[in-house]
Amino acid sequence: MAQGSFSGSEVKWEFSLLASVGFRGKSEKMNTSDAKKRLPILRGNSFLTGSAVYLFSNILKAAIPFALLPILTRYLSPAEYGQVAMFQTLMGALAAFIGLSMAGAAGRKFYDNQSSSEMLGDFIGSCVQILLVTSIIALLLVWVSRVSLSQWFGLETQWLLLAVLVTAASVLNQLRLGQWQVRKQVKQYGALQVSSSLINVLLSLLLVVVWQQGAAGRMSAQVWAAGLLALLAWWFLKRDGLLRLWLWRPAYVKEALRFGVPLIPHVGGIFLLSAVDRFFINSRLGLSEVGVYMVAVQFAAALGLVFDAINKAYVPWLFERLTRNHPDEKQQIVRYTYLWYLVILFGAGCAFWLGPWIVTFVAGESYSKAGDVIGWLALGQVFGGMYLMVTNYIFYSKRTGLLSLASIISGFVNVGLLLLLIPLLGIKGAAIAFCMAMALRFILTWWVAQMRHPMPWFNFGTSS
């Protein structure tokens, strides 16, 4: 099943940025000679080649479970599908605290001038130590709050606890993927991504279709797949000398926390934007409406996969040109960005027209109501892709404080719109709220980006 959840798409965009920004090194500013030393790292793969590989792996990763969608929607009722959606939403809520953006911290550490493989292994070991502590704390908190959480999410206690373990396993997987990404080892990156999806799908077919276990089967498949991939990620990290767990390095623990803790509000804001709508739909309309809504979310999330793949290749290409600081290149970047905006906005328009027919054809008549919201969700994802194009400048400047503020403001606006629009328009109101909040985040982030790293957005004739 294509992961339309918060944890499966939005945070990975941020990990991509956090890992890529590191090539600037420790200093706030980089002189020309430093840049020349680092630019060969970026030249190993061209923008188009890197983008093609990431796009192919992301499309393949999404295509395998997407092919399962018409099967699951015929074996799971909308209420059961909604239960699966709430399980994914819980993992998204846990990701901000358990994950602490450690994959991004490890990616950033790779670019430090004096970071040997041994030092990087010590640092990743410190990240895993933090992961163990945050996971234990999360398990205790979930256990203490299990009665209230079960009511909010519509899940039994065992699934609440397993969501913590799946989230922790996903963080370990992201640590391994992040290290392949910064080394431009796109084949290994793609292979693990696709393997994760394939295992998930095969287990889902066995448990849901063959053994008829319903929503429990789908959630069990996610648990087993995450566990198996975490073990595989652990083995790859150990094999490559990138995990030294049994050493206590307080300096590295503090460094990882200094990187991740300030980003908790930012990740929390993303959660309010990308996943909190399921809580309101469940409380106001019930699990069946959550299931219908999530089918539309998963269709729209395909756009996010495309934007994620392109951004992974675009960021090094962009940072190289920003480092050179040539006015002509800056103007060229702006022109290309505006052209890209036109292309993806046109794609969102097509989703309003073709989306309802495609959703009904793939998911079946039981989920035909999802077609009413697919266009708004697709437009919201497009605003997310536009956001990526401007947030890169903030990460390049390494002054990210206001980025968190933009995410939090947009997230709370989304909550307010959900409270207003769901009683009036049902799940369509939730989709419109998401779209409007994503548009607001794009505008706020664009404004912050212009303050942090000015670009000639409205002046093509002169340099900024």
Side-chain angles (χ1 to χ4, degrees):
M1 186 181 300
Q3 296 299 320
S5 68
F6 155 83
S7 58
S9 57
E10 189 77 10
V11 167
K12 290 179 183 178
W13 291 358
E14 306 304 328
F15 286 160
S16 166
L17 294 170
L18 293 171
S20 300
V21 73
F23 90 93
R24 299 184 67 209
K26 294 181 179 178
S27 60
E28 187 68 19
K29 296 181 180 180
M30 181 188 293
N31 59 38
T32 304
S33 61
D34 290 335
K36 289 180 178 178
K37 292 177 182 178
R38 295 187 182 276
L39 291 182
I41 297 174
L42 304 175
R43 291 183 183 131
N45 290 300
S46 68
F47 170 53
L48 291 177
T49 302
S51 182
V53 174
Y54 282 122
L55 183 60
F56 176 76
S57 65
N58 273 10
I59 288 176
L60 191 57
K61 177 193 173 187
I64 296 172
F66 197 76
L68 187 63
L69 183 62
I71 301 174
L72 289 181
T73 52
R74 286 161 176 83
Y75 278 86
L76 299 179
S77 68
E80 289 177 316
Y81 211 92
Q83 191 176 6
V84 174
M86 295 307 295
F87 181 66
Q88 295 175 334
T89 302
L90 175 58
M91 290 189 287
L94 293 167
F97 172 70
I98 293 177
L100 288 177
S101 300
M102 282 181 288
R108 172 66 179 84
K109 188 67 176 176
F110 169 79
Y111 292 103
D112 280 358
N113 292 328
Q114 299 177 351
S115 289
S116 63
S117 294
E118 184 175 294
M119 292 174 63
L120 195 56
D122 292 344
F123 186 84
I124 293 176
S126 298
C127 290
V128 175
Q129 290 168 1
I130 296 171
L131 175 62
L132 290 173
V133 172
T134 56
S135 299
I136 291 171
I137 293 173
L139 284 170
L140 292 174
L141 292 175
V142 168
W143 176 256
V144 171
S145 308
R146 62 190 182 279
V147 176
S148 298
L149 290 175
S150 292
Q151 293 176 348
W152 292 342
F153 287 92
L155 298 171
E156 297 177 359
T157 300
Q158 62 174 334
W159 298 115
L160 300 176
L161 297 173
L162 286 170
V164 175
L165 300 180
V166 172
T167 303
S170 299
V171 173
L172 190 62
N173 192 29
Q174 287 299 318
L175 282 167
R176 173 64 276 186
L177 289 172
Q179 291 303 302
W180 276 329
Q181 182 186 339
V182 294
R183 289 167 171 79
K184 308 297 185 292
Q185 294 176 303
V186 292
K187 292 182 180 179
Q188 294 91 326
Y189 182 100
L192 189 62
Q193 283 239 86
V194 174
S195 297
S196 171
S197 186
L198 186 59
I199 292 172
N200 201 331
V201 166
L202 292 175
L203 287 173
S204 295
L205 284 172
L206 176 65
L207 297 176
V208 176
V209 178
V210 179
W211 290 354
Q212 301 277 312
Q213 291 187 5
R218 174 60 183 141
M219 292 186 288
S220 295
Q222 292 177 302
V223 172
W224 282 105
L228 290 172
L229 267 295
L231 291 174
L232 194 58
W234 180 287
W235 182 80
F236 278 124
L237 287 169
K238 292 289 289 184
R239 184 200 66 176
D240 296 341
L242 293 174
L243 180 59
R244 291 158 55 90
L245 182 61
W246 309 115
L247 292 175
W248 175 243
R249 293 293 186 92
Y252 286 165
V253 171
K254 291 179 182 178
E255 183 179 349
L257 290 175
R258 280 197 304 269
F259 186 97
V261 171
L263 287 168
I264 290 178
H266 177 52
V267 179
I270 295 174
F271 175 77
L272 291 178
L273 275 170
S274 304
V276 77
D277 48 7
R278 272 132 266 185
F279 288 106
F280 289 96
I281 295 172
N282 183 38
S283 63
R284 301 278 181 140
L285 306 174
L287 278 174
S288 293
E289 292 294 279
V290 175
V292 171
Y293 184 77
M294 275 305 296
V295 168
V297 167
Q298 289 172 325
F299 274 94
L303 290 172
L305 292 171
V306 174
F307 300 147
D308 175 49
I310 291 174
N311 199 61
K312 279 184 172 70
Y314 175 68
V315 168
W317 180 90
L318 173 67
F319 285 2
E320 179 181 350
R321 281 150 183 79
L322 295 181
T323 300
R324 290 203 294 253
N325 199 30
H326 291 168
D328 290 343
E329 288 189 330
K330 285 188 173 183
Q331 291 164 10
Q332 182 187 55
I333 291 169
V334 167
R335 287 192 294 269
Y336 286 164
T337 303
Y338 282 139
L339 179 61
W340 174 239
Y341 287 174
L342 290 175
V343 170
I344 60 179
L345 284 169
F346 175 78
C350 292
F352 279 94
W353 178 40
L354 296 173
W357 177 82
I358 294 175
V359 169
T360 303
F361 177 77
V362 174
E365 288 293 336
S366 298
Y367 295 86
S368 60
K369 193 176 177 181
D372 296 337
V373 302
I374 183 66
W376 290 105
L377 292 173
L379 183 57
Q381 290 285 358
V382 164
F383 284 128
M386 295 166 72
Y387 154 85
L388 281 181
M389 293 293 104
V390 294
T391 198
N392 292 332
Y393 302 101
I394 301 174
F395 279 89
Y396 180 82
S397 73
K398 297 174 68 176
R399 293 179 291 169
T400 60
L402 288 178
L403 180 62
S404 295
L405 184 60
S407 297
I408 293 169
I409 291 173
S410 304
F412 279 112
V413 168
N414 186 44
V415 171
L417 290 171
L418 288 167
L419 290 171
L420 176 66
L421 295 177
I422 288 179
L424 296 175
L425 301 172
I427 61 173
K428 187 174 182 179
I432 294 173
F434 168 73
C435 181
M436 294 174 67
M438 292 291 278
L440 175 63
R441 183 180 65 156
F442 163 61
I443 293 170
L444 291 176
T445 304
W446 194 0
W447 173 66
V448 173
Q450 186 64 4
M451 289 196 300
R452 292 293 180 251
H453 191 88
M455 291 288 288
W457 294 108
F458 306 105
N459 189 350
F460 298 99
T462 60
S463 63
S464 62

